[in-house]
Amino acid sequence: MQNMSGLHRDPLPEARPLAAPVGFVGLGNIGLPMARALTRAGHALRVHDRDPQRMRAAEDAGMTTAPGGVKDLAGCAVVALAVSDDDATEQVLTGTSGLLAALAPGSLVLLHSTLLPATVHRLGRQGQAHGVELVDAPVSGGAQRALRGELTVMAGGSEAAMTLARPYLEAIATETVHVGPLGAGAVAKLANQLMMFSALAGAYEALDLAKAHGVDTDAVLRAVGSSTGDSWVTREWGFFEEVAAAYERSGVPRHQRSWSKDLWDVVATAREAQLPVPYAALLAQTLAQRIEHRGAEES
């Protein structure tokens, strides 16, 4: 059962497909599986991506594409973005396409990318000027959970916006935590990323230590599975190497990959709050190279 308030778990009404088509921008590693989960839940989708191959994959999955670009999504009451970064998000919403200005007042935009809180706040003000509600709804769980509609969503937005978003969120997530007002979702996602990548860095060093003394990696992972060293990272060992290899195959620039971009976003967000985060700063400079190297070994 989803947790829309972050405080309690009241039963939710059965999810119903939204009346109008849902616009979806960004059909990458997470976006396309999310779009497929929405389609399977009965939502009609109108999708766009700059990559023609991804657009063809969406058509093959029964989605309607928007070959004219994001301007073709102006008639959608709900539009979701799962694009690469802050610049891409702003280009879709406020660039030459100007989707915020094109959407009808009362429309809803969901931001699934991992963004700087300052970007979310800026876009929120611009959306408000056009009568468009925004929810920052970054997701966690990976592509396989996205395909099954079993992601976790960390949502920031008004109660009114969360009510509008509910049918959509029920199709993509088994856990939606409303963490606060607009921008809070972005902060929660960065906190999640820092915890996860900290655990990953520690696991890399721990397994190097074991290997240096002739102890098998799989044996250590089995041992910690029921010990205090257990974590999602150790239970899903190999996840990041697979993602790195997938990014490499699809041509995602290395600076846009989560272990690089998100850690630098953590540092920037902490700096804005005048908060020292020395461990995050160290990880931002060291972890990406380690993951990329391991990904290359596994590919």
Side-chain angles (χ1 to χ4, degrees), residues 84-87 114 247-248 251-265 284 288 292:
S84 58
D85 55 19
D86 298 63
D87 289 343
T114 303
Y247 279 155
E248 200 69 25
V252 176
R254 291 194 171 188
H255 71 276
Q256 290 181 354
R257 302 176 188 184
S258 59
W259 42 82
S260 179
K261 183 189 80 67
D262 294 0
L263 285 168
W264 284 111
D265 283 356
E292 299 293 356

Side-chain angles (χ1 to χ4, degrees), residues 11-55:
L12 297 176
E14 183 179 353
R16 298 176 181 175
L18 297 165
V22 173
F24 201 100
V25 183
L27 301 170
N29 182 57
I30 290 292
L32 183 58
M34 290 174 66
R36 284 176 168 159
L38 286 160
T39 300
R40 193 167 56 250
H43 296 287
L45 258 64
R46 187 175 299 157
V47 303
H48 177 72
D49 193 283
R50 292 178 297 181
D51 186 333
Q53 186 174 350
R54 293 177 179 178
M55 293 275 272

